[in-house]
Amino acid sequence: MRSSLAPGVWFFRAFSRDSWFRGSILLLTFLIYTCYHMSRKPISVVKSRLHQNCSEQIQPINDTHSLNDTMWCSWAPFDKDNYKELLAGVDNAFLVAYAIGMFISGVFGERLPLRYYLSAGMLLSGLFTSLFGLGYFWNIHELWYFVVIQVCNGLVQTTGWPSVVTCVGNWFGKGKRGFIMGIWNSHTSVGNILGSLIAGIWVNGQWGLSFVVPGIITAIMGVITFLFLIEHPEDVDCSPPQHHGEPAENQDNPEDPGNSPCSIRDSGLETVAKTSKGPCEEPAAIDFFGALRIPGVVEFSLCLLFAKLVSYTFLYWLPLYISNVAHFSAKEAGDLSTLFDVGGIIGGIMAGLISDYTNGRATTCCVMLILAAPMMFLYNYIGQDGITSSIVMLIICGGLVNGPYALITTAVSADLGTHKSLKGNAKALSTVTAIIDGTGSIGAALGPLLAGLISPTGWNNVFYMLISADVLACLLLCRLVYKEILAWKVSLSRGSGYKEI
């Protein structure tokens, strides 16, 4: 019994138990989204295998291709001169489906149990990822097959992001949220690295395994999610987090409508009054247009559109760019491209840490975007001069490109989903996350498509496109940056805390 323990002993046990559960949820959701990204990455590594110059390979004696055919070892239908457009079409099938599905996924995420929703999504994602690779073993050469599989995979993968952000938002308050989520968001880069390394093992041989193995791992993780995911702290009698630094006395005010017993789970701000009786209503989930009216949602969504355009162009085309420009093999290019994601891990953590310290999410993103533009220009011109310069530039570019992307999709989404204008109703978290990431996914679909269309005219033009998108992302945050600067001035002049925008 709680009453039989000394106050200090009870506090220590409660704190340790809460911390253990929060740490386990953070680790589980980290592994969940690592698997989602791991299953997306193999296509970028296998691209250079689907279409390659076969002149240096020994053609089988019983092969039906002519001796002058330098593409006999490529995989039809990607063995033609328009292979870049076809590969861009396959990428776009996934990304357009993902962008469309994301706006719908947030609505379902607010209304369905996250454990079931995530588990089903991971099982289906593992299935469709494996089916893409099985095209190799089944000797399928029809473009429609790969496009349909990518469309289905794009739709089911939308179950991931709104769900994991909502789950983490349920367990963690605003204090140090940027730093915690900056570390946690490294799952994106870790997943990309694992996907590249796993795909690299089989890319020069039975490339279908580059998809089948990540697909099986993702499906297994879906089963683990079903067995162990805990959606709310209250489900295991843990204390809910505080959001937006509200004072403790507000939590026990019976006249506060946000403190009704039924609002506990949704707001994450109050402590359950176990002696309370009587029926009460659950807060309604916010609608799409209601989420758009939350201050900052539109600006950050549009900024992410261009930031994600840049990030996903690197995600899908960087190995092929390295292979074409530096003349590395498919495996070497895939392995080297992981350094971009290593930089992304560093950039995401730094962005979260700086934004927590300065209380300036928009300003942190804007500064990193400003620095990213000249770094991308330099990488294109001097990044391939030597292995050392390539390594350094890839890490720097990865940090500056993925830092703002990571901050917006994690800490910013969680901040806006629990914004003070919602008056304690956290039912908006999944919807807000889906709107922000869904808008960003439109850019993620446009980037690889534009890269596929522009790259035949030269890789320089692709980088000019990326730099232009980076500048536009920065400009869209100008109003929020201005408001943050004004808030800093007020804070300094009055000696008060940061005033939220």
Side-chain angles (χ1 to χ4, degrees):
M1 295 291 293
R2 179 178 298 179
S3 59
S4 63
L5 296 175
V9 175
W10 175 84
F11 173 81
F12 176 76
R13 291 187 178 180
F15 175 78
S16 299
R17 187 172 183 275
D18 284 5
S19 299
W20 190 91
F21 272 105
R22 282 186 167 84
S24 62
I25 291 299
L26 206 63
L27 176 61
L28 181 58
T29 51
F30 179 94
L31 294 175
I32 288 171
Y33 214 70
T34 294
C35 289
Y36 272 103
H37 257 267
M38 178 184 63
S39 64
R40 298 177 195 176
K41 184 63 177 179
I43 183 63
S44 67
V45 178
V46 176
K47 275 179 182 177
S48 54
R49 173 67 174 82
L50 296 177
H51 183 95
Q52 58 182 334
N53 191 324
C54 308
S55 58
E56 297 181 357
Q57 300 189 32
I58 300 175
Q59 186 172 355
I61 298 176
N62 60 350
D63 198 273
T64 57
H65 291 78
S66 66
L67 295 175
N68 295 326
D69 186 2
T70 60
M71 296 300 169
W72 62 267
C73 64
S74 296
W75 190 266
F78 307 106
D79 57 345
K80 303 298 188 294
D81 291 337
N82 66 336
Y83 74 99
K84 288 184 179 180
E85 289 83 353
L86 296 180
L87 290 171
V90 172
D91 291 342
N92 221 47
F94 174 92
L95 294 167
V96 170
Y98 185 86
I100 295 173
M102 185 60 73
F103 292 103
I104 304 172
S105 180
V107 176
F108 286 108
E110 298 287 6
R111 293 161 175 81
L112 297 175
L114 294 182
R115 185 164 64 94
Y116 298 135
Y117 194 50
L118 262 176
S119 301
M122 296 195 76
L123 289 171
L124 290 172
S125 180
L127 171 65
F128 289 119
T129 301
S130 298
L131 285 174
F132 194 102
L134 289 173
Y136 170 84
F137 298 101
W138 294 341
N139 202 30
I140 296 176
H141 297 277
E142 300 295 333
L143 181 64
W144 67 264
Y145 174 83
F146 299 105
V147 170
V148 169
I149 292 300
Q150 287 290 78
V151 169
C152 294
N153 202 7
L155 290 173
V156 299
Q157 287 232 349
T158 60
T159 58
W161 191 242
S163 300
V164 295
V165 171
T166 299
C167 191
V168 173
N170 290 338
W171 279 88
F172 291 89
K174 193 176 181 184
K176 297 184 179 179
R177 178 182 276 166
F179 177 62
I180 292 172
M181 285 193 156
I183 297 175
W184 175 76
N185 192 65
S186 62
H187 53 51
T188 299
S189 298
V190 172
N192 292 339
I193 292 170
L194 288 176
S196 297
L197 295 177
I198 292 173
I201 296 173
W202 293 286
V203 65
N204 291 323
Q206 296 179 324
W207 59 261
L209 291 173
S210 298
F211 296 89
V212 173
V213 173
I216 293 174
I217 296 173
T218 302
I220 292 173
M221 195 64 211
V223 176
I224 295 174
T225 299
F226 178 79
L227 295 175
F228 296 104
L229 183 67
I230 301 171
E231 300 175 28
H232 303 277
E234 298 84 2
D235 293 340
V236 287
D237 294 327
C238 288
S239 58
Q242 280 188 291
H243 297 288
H244 299 283
E246 291 199 8
E249 57 268 19
N250 287 351
Q251 300 177 42
D252 300 320
N253 182 4
E255 297 181 2
D256 187 348
N259 283 311
S260 64
C262 286
S263 69
I264 303 303
R265 173 169 294 180
D266 296 322
S267 69
L269 296 176
E270 298 85 13
T271 303
V272 175
K274 293 187 177 180
T275 59
S276 62
K277 299 180 181 180
C280 48
E281 295 184 359
E282 290 273 340
I286 195 169
D287 60 20
F288 181 85
F289 294 102
L292 286 178
R293 287 193 290 270
I294 298 173
V297 167
V298 173
E299 288 93 336
F300 276 115
S301 297
L302 293 175
C303 173
L304 186 63
L305 187 151
F306 292 103
K308 206 167 180 179
L309 183 154
V310 177
S311 180
Y312 266 65
T313 301
F314 276 100
L315 173 67
Y316 280 93
W317 286 94
L318 182 58
L320 186 61
Y321 167 76
I322 294 173
S323 179
N324 287 353
V325 176
H327 307 294
F328 288 170
S329 68
K331 185 180 186 307
E332 292 171 338
D335 291 345
L336 188 60
S337 69
T338 61
L339 293 172
F340 183 83
D341 294 299
V342 172
I345 295 174
I346 300 171
I349 294 173
M350 291 301 297
L353 187 62
I354 294 171
S355 67
D356 277 342
Y357 180 76
T358 62
N359 286 317
R361 307 283 199 220
T363 305
T364 302
C365 291
C366 193
V367 171
M368 296 186 80
L369 289 168
I370 290 172
L371 295 175
M375 287 299 108
M376 286 190 289
F377 180 84
L378 288 175
Y379 171 66
N380 184 42
Y381 276 90
I382 68 173
Q384 308 303 330
D385 290 348
I387 188 65
T388 302
S389 61
S390 183
I391 291 173
V392 172
M393 293 302 297
L394 277 172
I395 293 175
I396 294 175
C397 287
L400 294 174
V401 168
N402 284 337
Y405 162 40
L407 186 62
I408 294 173
T409 54
T410 54
V412 169
S413 295
D415 287 350
L416 296 176
T418 55
H419 194 270
K420 64 181 181 181
S421 64
L422 297 172
K423 298 179 180 179
N425 178 11
K427 281 280 189 177
L429 186 51
S430 184
T431 302
V432 169
T433 302
I435 289 173
I436 292 176
D437 199 51
T439 306
S441 297
I442 297 173
L446 287 174
L449 176 64
L450 291 174
L453 297 174
I454 296 173
S455 58
T457 67
W459 287 106
N460 287 346
N461 294 329
V462 174
F463 275 86
Y464 294 147
M465 179 268 291
L466 296 177
I467 292 170
S468 299
D470 187 85
V471 172
L472 288 173
C474 182
L475 292 175
L476 286 164
L477 292 180
C478 286
R479 187 184 73 87
L480 297 181
V481 171
Y482 177 71
K483 294 187 74 173
E484 286 181 351
I485 293 174
L486 290 181
W488 290 336
K489 289 182 178 179
V490 171
S491 177
L492 291 173
S493 62
R494 296 182 180 178
S496 60
Y498 170 67
K499 186 177 180 181
E500 185 180 4
I501 59 174

